[in-house]
Amino acid sequence: MAQLVTVAQTGLVAVVTIANPPVNASTQAVRVQLLSTLRQLEQGSDIRAVVIRCAGRTFMAGADITEFDLPELPEPHPNEIHAYLDSMSKPVVAAMHGTTLGAGLELALSCHYRVADAGARFGLPEVKLGVIPGAGGTQRLPRLVGLLTAVQMISGGEMVPASQALESGLIDAVFEDDLAGSALQYALELAGTETGPRVLSHRTFSADEAQRIFAKQHLEQLPPPDRGGHARRHAVEATIQAGQLPFQEALEEERRRFLLCRDTDESKALRHAFFAERAAARIPNMPANASLRPIQSVGIIGAGTMGTGIAMSFANAGLPVILQDLSEETLTRAGGLIRSTYETAVKKQRMSAAEADRRIALIHTTNDDLQLAGCDLIIEAVFEDFDIKKAIFRRLGEIARPGAILASNTSSLDVNVLASCSGRAADVLGMHFFSPAHIMRLLEVVRCDTTAPDVLATIMQLAKRINKVAAVSGVCFGFIGNRMLEGYLRETEFLLMEGATPSFIDQALEGWGMAMGPCRMIDMAGVDVAAKVVLEQRKAGRLPDDDSYRIVVQRLYERGRFGQKAGHGYYRYEGRQPVEDESALEIFREQGEQYGVRQRRDITAQEVVERCLYPLIAEGYRILEEGIAYRAGDIDVVWLHGYGFPSYRGGPMFYARSVGEHTIAAAMERFASARGNRYGYWDIPESLAKALIA
Ligand code: T1G
């Protein structure tokens, strides 16, 4: 067994170091070695205090999530270590840096004193994996910070910074530098003054009535168990029991709830999403030591909403940006949007005024594209006009410095063509950001046939640097997300023509878990934007020979119903509030009659969900068959981070396996026979159809 826990003695203090890269996860080997080390130190006559610290980038960041799939957690359970810490006669100090999370924070709570460096953050994020703290967190945390703070931390799963942790009593001291030396000094003083342990589990605890009432209100406001609230509800219920049950009994109840949650579909989906996001960053057959191109400066062509949002994404990561546009008016508007965005962040105390000023100062605007010539990465973010984009890539091929990476933010156009226009195709790829680009984390990285491996690797690494979740897509219309969206929107419009209303469709899909239904989504993104994409597809001959295909969005567009920004689209808007609009329903009726909807009928929410989601999922199978996506998990990452797919369902491809591929294929067969399949809308991809034979 590798040596993961070592000890160094300084005077009367023993410093225990855990070294289990990359995040010092609490594996069985770590637990075995840590427990035996603590037992030895307790016996040591020349030791009066202990410090537990971690090597590398962070204090223990949690249990090893891969152990969740084991039938039983390999001994010793973290609770055994924590019970031993409770029994020790010598004070133990946790010295924390990085992100102390989950079992790492539970270990620290079982220590007797807690110190940290100024940049440290703390959390119990277990609910984000569909479980609850399973090693005493629900019982020790309230004893330290009170019921309210504990319920908020545990049910939200968010990290708190060292300053807040100090203020709440979670930690005892923050050191600006030299954590190791300061923690040692802290322990030496404990030893020197013969200060004994402070054992949280021995602390009697009873929250006052007001705190209990708050906790119960918090519980009632959580989503239902089958809509992402299962683990959160158990986490809060376990926390509320702190002080109401004898400590050991409460630990057993916590463990019971943890095991209950661990085996749910919600938890399996969330754990899948966690690892899928990290796997998506890995490019198959890419040598681990692939050289990356340096990216120290970024140029963006096009200062519209997308270009401005992209500029802020880079400024947020500390990278200087030159934002270029031919129109001075556009540049002025962009400058205003940048300033107002950061002013709002300061007002909401998301960042200091100084930090906002730093980021604003990183973005320079210009109308002269030659100023981009020295940039390491240049992103084209003009509107979706292919001829203009081609001209820009020809220009970039002339002015950009050798070795610069050239990217297009296009949401659907053929990046291979842009690459060839540039005259340096190996340097070109797509970077499809999602609006608002400085907030949405998804980045579809589109690899052209000619993109050089180091260019792809560089951009995948850069994505992490700008806090984006990247997934690689091959070149096809709509890449991964928008291509799968087609069937979803097609069926939405057919359902409208058959008698469903926008609110019925949206509520059916939002009730199923989507963050926003299709009609509200298009109204918000712009009916005109959606209609232009359909018209562009029809012009390029990419649509089925079916005049009724997405005819509704075209009719709304023709009538100036551009969506929320125009006050009406699929809905009428009172402020930002969507309201059913008789004149829109009339358009749906007209189109239904014109395209042969003999009689409008009552449609169930289940039919809406199946009619919209199954073609979306089927397209995902085709995307995998064609090699457009490397893995099914990459497709899930796209939908979880770019389209509001419910995380507790794991993404469309994970959901397909959990609901059963046979169920989906059989439903598609039913729709094909009930509705006809003249245009292949209900064709079942081969890799999905095999479920029918199995
Ligand atoms: N278990 C196993 N592997 C983990 C891991 C974990 N807890 N955390 C990270 N990894 C892997 C990750 O898959 C990746 O692997 C590598 O480490 C770097 O991670 C009993 C039961 C700590 C903020 O939920 O939030 O404790 O892709 O790319 O961006 O109550 O990792 O390189 O092969 O994310 O710097 C609670 C989960 C567990 C924390 C670092 N803890 N991790 O982010 O690196 S449940 C968590 C994170 C628990 C107890 C319960 C982040 C990070 P690879 P990374 P990062």
Side-chain angles (χ1 to χ4, degrees):
M1 190 184 277
Q3 187 68 29
L4 304 175
V5 178
T6 55
V7 184
Q9 184 168 346
T10 306
L12 297 171
V13 173
V15 178
V16 176
T17 299
I18 298 169
N20 184 29
V23 297
N24 291 308
S26 163
T27 57
Q28 182 191 21
V30 166
R31 296 196 295 274
V32 165
Q33 294 181 34
L34 179 58
L35 184 53
S36 69
T37 301
L38 292 172
R39 284 182 173 139
Q40 287 161 23
L41 295 174
E42 176 66 3
Q43 304 313 319
S45 57
D46 56 346
I47 299 294
R48 298 284 169 76
V50 176
V51 173
I52 297 178
R53 59 181 291 275
C54 288
R57 56 172 148 163
T58 178
F59 193 79
M60 184 183 285
D64 177 355
I65 303 170
T66 60
E67 285 185 338
F68 288 17
D69 300 321
L70 301 175
E72 277 300 317
L73 186 71
E75 294 297 322
H77 188 280
N79 280 339
E80 189 178 343
I81 298 171
H82 302 164
Y84 190 76
L85 283 161
D86 284 355
S87 71
M88 288 180 71
S89 63
K90 302 170 182 179
V92 180
V93 180
M96 296 168 281
H97 68 295
T99 50
T100 299
L101 300 171
L105 184 53
E106 290 173 306
L107 171 63
L109 289 170
S110 304
C111 293
H112 311 127
Y113 300 88
R114 287 158 288 278
V115 300
D117 74 9
R121 290 179 291 160
F122 310 85
L124 291 174
E126 285 84 346
V127 293
K128 294 187 172 185
L129 296 167
V131 293
I132 73 167
T138 64
Q139 302 307 308
R140 286 189 173 89
L141 187 62
R143 282 172 165 77
L144 200 54
V145 301
L147 184 62
L148 307 194
T149 305
V151 161
Q152 285 163 338
M153 277 186 74
I154 289 172
S155 72
E158 297 305 322
M159 295 191 219
V160 298
S163 54
Q164 195 177 326
L166 184 64
E167 198 180 317
S168 68
L170 180 61
I171 58 178
D172 300 298
V174 173
F175 301 121
E176 287 302 325
D177 52 23
D178 186 18
L179 174 64
S182 308
L184 176 62
Q185 193 52 43
Y186 190 94
L188 283 167
E189 280 161 22
L190 291 175
T193 54
E194 296 190 358
T195 309
R198 291 180 315 185
V199 180
L200 266 180
S201 62
H202 296 169
R203 197 178 285 190
T204 53
F205 173 74
S206 64
D208 64 35
E209 196 46 33
Q211 297 209 3
R212 283 201 180 289
I213 290 168
F214 169 87
K216 290 216 177 354
Q217 283 171 350
H218 187 97
L219 181 61
E220 281 147 20
Q221 288 156 12
L222 291 173
D226 61 350
R227 288 293 180 275
H230 182 268
R232 282 183 158 79
R233 288 174 171 273
H234 277 284
V236 172
E237 285 164 357
T239 308
I240 287 173
Q241 284 178 317
Q244 291 189 317
L245 294 172
F247 190 83
Q248 198 49 45
E249 210 177 304
L251 276 193
E252 284 153 19
E253 172 64 0
E254 178 192 74
R255 181 81 187 137
R256 181 189 70 79
R257 290 174 184 271
F258 171 84
L259 293 172
L260 189 69
C261 291
R262 185 199 62 178
D263 298 335
T264 59
D265 287 345
E266 174 186 287
S267 183
K268 290 170 189 159
L270 289 167
R271 282 144 47 195
H272 160 76
F274 175 87
F275 288 114
E277 178 185 325
R278 286 150 183 86
R282 288 194 283 269
I283 302 162
N285 311 318
M286 177 70 67
N289 57 353
S291 64
L292 303 183
R293 298 192 188 182
I295 304 285
Q296 298 305 334
S297 61
V298 179
I300 295 168
I301 297 183
T305 312
M306 282 306 286
T308 306
I310 296 169
M312 288 192 277
S313 285
F314 285 99
N316 291 343
L319 277 161
V321 183
I322 301 175
L323 179 60
Q324 185 269 346
D325 198 292
L326 294 175
S327 151
E328 281 302 337
E329 186 199 342
T330 305
L331 287 172
T332 305
R333 198 165 45 243
L337 176 61
I338 291 165
R339 270 190 304 282
S340 63
T341 302
Y342 285 116
E343 280 161 6
T344 305
V346 173
K347 275 197 201 103
K348 292 185 175 175
Q349 298 183 327
R350 284 204 214 109
M351 72 176 71
S352 68
E355 178 57 28
D357 292 342
R358 251 194 302 279
R359 296 186 190 187
I360 291 170
L362 283 169
I363 303 173
H364 297 277
T365 57
T366 177
N367 59 15
D368 174 9
D369 64 1
L370 282 174
Q371 291 206 14
L372 307 178
C375 290
D376 301 323
L377 164 66
I378 302 174
I379 302 171
E380 168 274 311
V382 299
F383 53 89
E384 291 292 86
D385 179 307
F386 210 11
D387 293 335
I388 292 179
K389 290 178 186 288
K390 289 178 196 170
I392 287 173
F393 274 82
R394 277 192 283 274
R395 171 77 172 156
L396 288 177
E398 291 158 11
I399 65 170
R401 72 163 182 71
I405 295 176
L406 310 179
S408 171
N409 173 54
T410 181
S411 56
S412 59
L413 299 174
D414 187 339
V415 192
N416 280 325
V417 170
L418 300 179
S420 62
C421 289
S422 73
R424 48 165 95 179
D427 297 340
V428 178
L429 79 177
M431 292 178 76
H432 177 213
F433 290 82
F434 284 71
S435 183
H438 61 297
I439 292 172
M440 293 296 283
R441 292 198 63 209
L442 179 63
L443 175 65
E444 278 185 321
V445 177
V446 184
R447 60 173 160 53
C448 303
D449 303 341
T450 49
T451 303
D454 68 320
V455 167
L456 191 55
T458 299
I459 296 302
M460 293 306 281
Q461 198 257 3
L462 178 67
K464 191 164 170 116
R465 204 168 142 198
I466 60 173
N467 192 31
K468 296 295 181 187
V469 178
V472 175
S473 170
V475 175
C476 65
F477 187 79
F479 310 135
I480 295 173
N482 286 346
R483 174 170 161 180
M484 293 168 71
L485 189 63
E486 278 298 313
Y488 180 79
L489 297 179
R490 179 197 73 222
E491 290 306 309
T492 294
E493 296 203 4
F494 286 153
L495 285 159
L496 290 169
M497 292 157 73
E498 294 161 34
T501 64
S503 56
F504 185 80
I505 291 171
D506 285 350
Q507 283 160 25
L509 286 160
E510 289 168 17
W512 180 83
M514 294 300 289
M516 185 179 285
C519 299
R520 281 181 60 220
M521 179 182 74
I522 298 293
D523 268 354
M524 184 170 282
V527 165
D528 50 334
V529 173
K532 283 177 191 160
V533 170
V534 177
L535 292 169
E536 178 90 21
Q537 286 175 279
R538 189 166 292 293
K539 194 168 71 176
R542 275 192 295 265
L543 291 186
D545 183 19
D546 170 6
D547 292 343
S548 68
Y549 184 95
R550 303 289 308 282
I551 192 63
V552 166
V553 75
Q554 294 173 68
R555 292 289 179 265
L556 292 172
Y557 174 54
E558 288 159 5
R559 290 167 170 75
R561 298 179 69 102
F562 294 169
Q564 185 175 315
K565 62 189 173 188
H568 60 174
Y570 287 87
Y571 294 95
R572 175 169 52 80
Y573 285 83
E574 290 169 2
R576 300 166 70 90
Q577 186 58 34
V579 176
E580 287 295 13
D581 181 358
E582 188 45 47
S583 51
L585 300 181
E586 183 50 32
I587 293 171
F588 311 145
R589 261 195 296 276
E590 275 168 16
Q591 299 312 313
E593 282 155 19
Q594 179 165 347
Y595 291 101
V597 175
R598 281 175 293 287
Q599 90 280 350
R600 295 158 68 80
R601 59 195 174 83
D602 286 338
I603 292 166
T604 65
Q606 181 60 22
E607 179 180 349
V608 170
V609 170
E610 292 183 357
R611 284 262 306 269
C612 291
L613 285 179
Y614 290 176
L616 180 156
I617 289 169
E619 202 59 35
Y621 279 82
R622 291 189 190 93
I623 282 171
L624 282 173
E625 287 171 1
E626 294 167 21
I628 292 291
Y630 292 135
R631 325 163 182 86
D634 293 8
I635 296 172
D636 290 334
V637 163
V638 166
W639 276 84
L640 290 170
H641 292 281
Y643 293 83
F645 198 94
S647 56
Y648 57 86
R649 294 190 190 273
M653 308 311 280
F654 185 90
Y655 175 69
R657 290 192 299 278
S658 57
V659 82
E661 292 174 328
H662 181 277
T663 303
I664 294 174
M668 292 186 72
E669 275 190 330
R670 274 201 318 276
F671 289 128
S673 56
R675 307 177 49 74
N677 193 25
R678 179 177 170 192
Y679 300 105
Y681 297 152
W682 298 105
D683 285 352
I684 305 172
E686 202 180 306
S687 52
L688 179 59
K690 67 180 181 359
L692 287 173
I693 307 159

